[in-house]
Amino acid sequence: MKQLIVKIVKFFVVSLLSPVIIHRRNKNAYLAYLPEPYKRQKDEKYLNQHQNRKESIIIGEIFIKLGWGIRVERFDKWFILPKKYELIFGLEPNFIRASKLNERAIKIYYATGSYYLHQNSMIKQRTDEFNKIHQTKLAYQRLIKPHNACEIADYIFQIGSSKTISTYPNSIKNKIILIRQTCFTFNDFRIETKLNQKNFNSFIWMGSTGSILKGLDLFIDFALINQSFNFHIVGNIDDDFFSFYHDKIINAKNIFYHGFIQISDLKLLNIASACSCIIFPSCSEGMPGSVVNLMKLGLIPVVSKWCSFDEIEDLGYELENLTLNELSKFLNWYQSLSTEKIKELFVKNYNYANNNYNKEVFEKDITNALLKVTNC
């Protein structure tokens, strides 16, 4: 019985990961990305777990509309890659493998974060600093395996901003075309509700694994020395990191750890409605979906220069460095704001995020970028 269950599970896993082939045509594109969403298009819970799932479907639909046949294959699983593709799109390692088999094809690398050498360097630097200060031995998390995808690509479609481009070598920057991502749409949220907020002393950090990478240590340490403010943590925490902070979090009366919450969960909406700022001192990002999602709920972004964006001066606060002293400067700035100014920023962030990070804008950016590089 146990063996039968294992076989059934393996069958469904392989089925979900297997390639999706749509409309073989005179010109065909190989997409090294996510085939699973195509097979689970009616599973809203699954699709809402990360914006890249719906975006994978959108990208495929755009190629088809522009006259391409597509093969969508999992970017990190070993499959037999056929030759004779006129365009290669997606992520390593299969982006690299397919590019080598189709040397004459147009090669478009789909970058969702900072340049990998920047990310790896910052992860090691911040983790080493943490271990030295706290006398710990936390492991490096979210290191990227070295690759040459950016170097072999003809073009790079980059999720992020000019701040993200700054992490790349000068020799690569001219390949980059910026793309604005989709993020979640909160259909039940009204900004008028946010403007009725009475208390402005709560902040939130929301992210996934890579706790030091995403600056959660700074957020917690900052909370511990500013106990007149409330600090909410939403998302998964690295095991060794959580072991170090567990007692401090549990014993702190102003830190509230909620764990992972689905973006569509009403609980997240209630937590965010009580907060004024999303503090995200990450050392390497594209444009963080967690930040954009909470901006869509009116929250003011407080971000490092590596996950910032060009309009930050009008919408929030950019941290010059990743230190508690810099977070204290932010707090001084925040406390200098009038209630009217805070509410004005709520509205500005709500409008900016909803107008710039949605399905329609993403479709437009991807379509225009493809037209530009393929001369269709």
Side-chain angles (χ1 to χ4, degrees):
M1 185 65 177
K2 183 177 180 181
Q3 290 180 339
L4 178 61
I5 293 174
V6 171
K7 288 182 179 180
I8 293 173
V9 170
K10 285 185 176 179
F11 172 78
F12 281 107
V13 169
V14 171
S15 297
L16 288 172
L17 297 180
S18 61
V20 172
I21 302 173
I22 303 176
H23 303 305
R24 292 290 295 181
R25 292 175 173 170
N26 292 330
K27 58 178 184 178
N28 295 286
Y30 174 86
L31 279 56
Y33 201 38
L34 301 174
E36 304 100 306
Y38 291 80
K39 303 166 186 179
R40 302 179 67 175
Q41 295 191 45
K42 295 182 180 180
D43 188 346
E44 278 297 316
K45 183 177 180 180
Y46 164 79
L47 293 174
N48 285 334
Q49 287 180 9
H50 197 287
Q51 69 262 17
N52 61 11
R53 296 177 176 182
K54 289 183 178 179
E55 288 173 357
S56 179
I57 298 172
I58 294 170
I59 290 169
E61 290 174 343
I62 291 171
F63 271 98
I64 293 168
K65 286 179 183 178
L66 295 179
W68 293 84
I70 64 170
R71 178 187 179 97
V72 187
E73 197 156 84
R74 179 79 191 185
F75 70 94
D76 58 353
K77 299 298 179 183
W78 187 266
F79 290 109
I80 298 174
L81 305 177
K83 299 180 182 180
K84 298 182 180 179
Y85 281 88
E86 287 73 34
L87 189 149
I88 309 298
F89 175 96
L91 296 171
E92 80 287 346
N94 279 349
F95 169 79
I96 297 172
R97 292 178 59 219
S99 294
K100 289 179 179 178
L101 290 171
N102 298 269
E103 293 183 356
R104 295 185 179 181
I106 299 170
K107 303 171 187 65
I108 305 171
Y109 181 61
Y110 187 50
T112 58
S114 300
Y115 185 58
Y116 85 93
L117 284 178
H118 165 84
Q119 176 159 320
N120 288 351
S121 173
M122 293 301 295
I123 289 172
K124 291 177 180 179
Q125 178 183 322
R126 288 230 56 240
T127 306
D128 288 346
E129 289 174 353
F130 183 93
N131 285 334
K132 183 178 180 180
I133 292 171
H134 298 288
Q135 296 298 299
T136 53
K137 294 182 179 180
L138 270 62
Y140 299 138
Q141 300 286 347
R142 302 287 292 266
L143 288 176
I144 300 174
K145 186 177 180 180
H147 63 84
N148 66 342
C150 295
E151 286 72 18
I152 68 174
D154 299 308
Y155 305 96
I156 298 171
F157 287 6
Q158 175 71 58
I159 297 293
S161 68
S162 63
K163 313 278 186 174
T164 317
I165 296 177
S166 69
T167 67
Y168 281 80
N170 290 331
S171 59
I172 295 177
K173 290 178 181 178
N174 63 351
K175 298 182 181 183
I176 299 175
I177 299 174
L178 290 175
I179 304 293
R180 290 167 290 180
Q181 67 218 61
T182 59
C183 291
F184 189 71
T185 298
F186 297 91
N187 292 317
D188 296 329
F189 176 75
R190 299 292 180 270
I191 189 59
E192 291 77 15
T193 303
K194 186 70 177 172
L195 297 178
N196 290 328
Q197 184 175 324
K198 305 297 183 183
N199 193 308
F200 303 97
N201 68 342
S202 294
F203 306 132
I204 185 173
W205 177 97
M206 186 168 78
S208 58
T209 55
S211 301
I212 291 181
L213 158 68
K214 298 179 182 296
L216 182 55
D217 58 312
L218 293 170
F219 184 83
I220 295 172
D221 290 345
F222 188 60
L224 293 172
I225 59 177
N226 288 281
Q227 298 192 13
S228 60
F229 289 84
N230 295 320
F231 294 78
H232 295 266
I233 300 171
V234 174
N236 296 319
I237 299 179
D238 299 339
D239 290 340
D240 54 358
F241 182 93
F242 189 66
S243 294
F244 176 81
Y245 275 110
H246 178 271
D247 290 346
K248 294 181 180 181
I249 292 173
I250 296 301
N251 294 328
K253 295 181 179 180
N254 67 325
I255 300 178
F256 305 92
Y257 175 52
H258 304 280
F260 173 78
I261 303 175
Q262 285 280 357
I263 191 70
S264 57
D265 196 321
L266 183 61
K267 181 180 178 182
L268 176 62
L269 191 62
N270 291 335
I271 295 169
S273 295
C275 297
S276 298
C277 299
I278 159 72
I279 300 179
F280 201 68
S282 176
C283 62
S284 182
E285 297 286 339
M287 182 65 191
S290 61
V291 173
V292 175
N293 280 324
L294 292 180
M295 289 170 65
K296 284 189 170 188
L297 297 176
L299 273 70
I300 302 166
V302 181
V303 292
S304 70
K305 61 184 177 182
W306 296 290
C307 58
S308 185
F309 48 97
D310 297 336
E311 299 82 2
I312 187 65
E313 290 186 4
D314 293 327
L315 298 171
Y317 190 93
E318 182 179 278
L319 302 166
E320 292 184 7
N321 54 61
L322 300 178
T323 63
L324 292 177
N325 183 57
E326 184 63 21
L327 283 170
S328 294
K329 290 182 181 179
F330 144 70
L331 192 58
N332 290 335
W333 170 83
Y334 179 72
Q335 290 179 304
S336 72
L337 302 176
S338 65
T339 299
E340 291 72 22
K341 181 62 177 179
I342 291 174
K343 290 185 176 181
E344 178 187 323
L345 288 172
F346 287 167
V347 174
K348 281 187 174 183
N349 280 285
Y350 168 80
N351 289 329
Y352 173 82
N354 281 286
N355 290 335
N356 284 279
Y357 298 95
N358 56 56
K359 180 177 182 287
E360 292 72 27
V361 169
F362 180 75
E363 287 178 342
K364 178 181 177 182
D365 285 359
I366 291 285
T367 299
N368 288 342
L370 279 174
L371 290 173
K372 179 178 179 180
V373 305
T374 61
N375 297 315
C376 292

